[in-house]
């Protein structure tokens, strides 16, 4: 059950934001074998003064269409699966809604499976 946080500049239409979530979800299904209906995503839109990033970090030219994606997952995937996920997300978002590859920033946060809470008011841990 990945948890996905997406941050971007305010002002994009609902269809654009939906395309982001769909492209990320398709990548998670394909590369991490996540069930289709296993989706937990939060989109946060920021005005310019509250969305701070280096436009040239590592010599990558970022634009106002910069999208920051943070995925929290269990630490059960291989390095190859992670690389495939990153590529698939970038490819999906480049195709639709047309995000430049340079404007996609992915941060993967891994947690131990026994530390993952599944909710319902009481922390339940998968073993």
């Amino acid at each position: 059950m990945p948890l996905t946080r997406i941050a971007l500049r305010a002002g994009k239409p609902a269809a654009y934001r939906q395309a982001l979530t769909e492209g990320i979800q398709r990548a998670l299904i394909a590369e991490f074998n996540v069930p289709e209906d296993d989706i937990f995503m939060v989109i946060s839109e920021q005005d310019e003064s509250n969305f701070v990033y280096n436009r040239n970090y590592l010599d990558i030219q970022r634009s106002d269409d910069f999208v920051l994606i943070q995925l929290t997952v269990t630490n059960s995937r291989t390095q190859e699966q992670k690389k495939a996920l990153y590529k698939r997300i970038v490819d999906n978002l480049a195709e639709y809604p047309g995000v430049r590859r340079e404007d996609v920033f992915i941060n993967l946060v891994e947690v131990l499976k026994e530390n993952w809470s599944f909710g319902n008011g009481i922390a339940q841990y998968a073993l």
Side-chain angles (χ1 to χ4, degrees), residues 20-45:
L20 293 175
T21 61
E22 289 173 358
I24 295 166
Q25 184 68 7
R26 285 195 324 272
L28 286 166
I29 292 166
E31 304 302 338
F32 275 18
N33 200 29
V34 169
E36 191 170 325
D37 63 346
D38 192 352
I39 183 167
F40 296 89
M41 296 193 187
V42 176
I43 299 176
S44 119
E45 294 183 275

Side-chain angles (χ1 to χ4, degrees), residues 95-107:
E95 181 181 323
Y96 187 73
V99 180
R100 292 174 57 242
R101 295 172 191 287
E102 298 86 354
D103 284 329
V104 179
F105 182 96
I106 302 168
N107 173 244

Side-chain angles (χ1 to χ4, degrees), residues 18-81:
Q18 182 176 350
L20 293 175
T21 61
E22 289 173 358
I24 295 166
Q25 184 68 7
R26 285 195 324 272
L28 286 166
I29 292 166
E31 304 302 338
F32 275 18
N33 200 29
V34 169
E36 191 170 325
D37 63 346
D38 192 352
I39 183 167
F40 296 89
M41 296 193 187
V42 176
I43 299 176
S44 119
E45 294 183 275
Q46 307 297 321
D47 63 30
E48 183 178 359
S49 65
N50 291 316
F51 198 45
V52 181
Y53 56 93
N54 186 323
R55 290 179 173 267
N56 301 303
Y57 182 68
L58 297 178
D59 292 325
I60 299 170
Q61 305 302 309
R62 294 172 185 82
S63 75
D64 288 344
D65 292 327
F66 179 70
V67 177
L68 190 150
I69 301 164
Q70 184 178 47
L71 296 160
T72 303
V73 300
T74 58
N75 66 342
S76 57
R77 275 54 176 231
T78 66
Q79 191 69 19
E80 291 76 27
Q81 287 175 300

Side-chain angles (χ1 to χ4, degrees), residues 77-118:
R77 275 54 176 231
T78 66
Q79 191 69 19
E80 291 76 27
Q81 287 175 300
K82 294 173 202 174
K83 288 179 181 180
L85 176 69
Y86 298 157
K87 182 179 182 329
R88 180 78 63 126
I89 289 173
V90 170
D91 289 347
N92 286 353
L93 300 186
E95 181 181 323
Y96 187 73
V99 180
R100 292 174 57 242
R101 295 172 191 287
E102 298 86 354
D103 284 329
V104 179
F105 182 96
I106 302 168
N107 173 244
L108 187 68
V109 177
E110 295 180 293
V111 297
L112 298 173
K113 193 170 186 177
E114 60 269 17
N115 290 339
W116 196 263
S117 172
F118 292 92

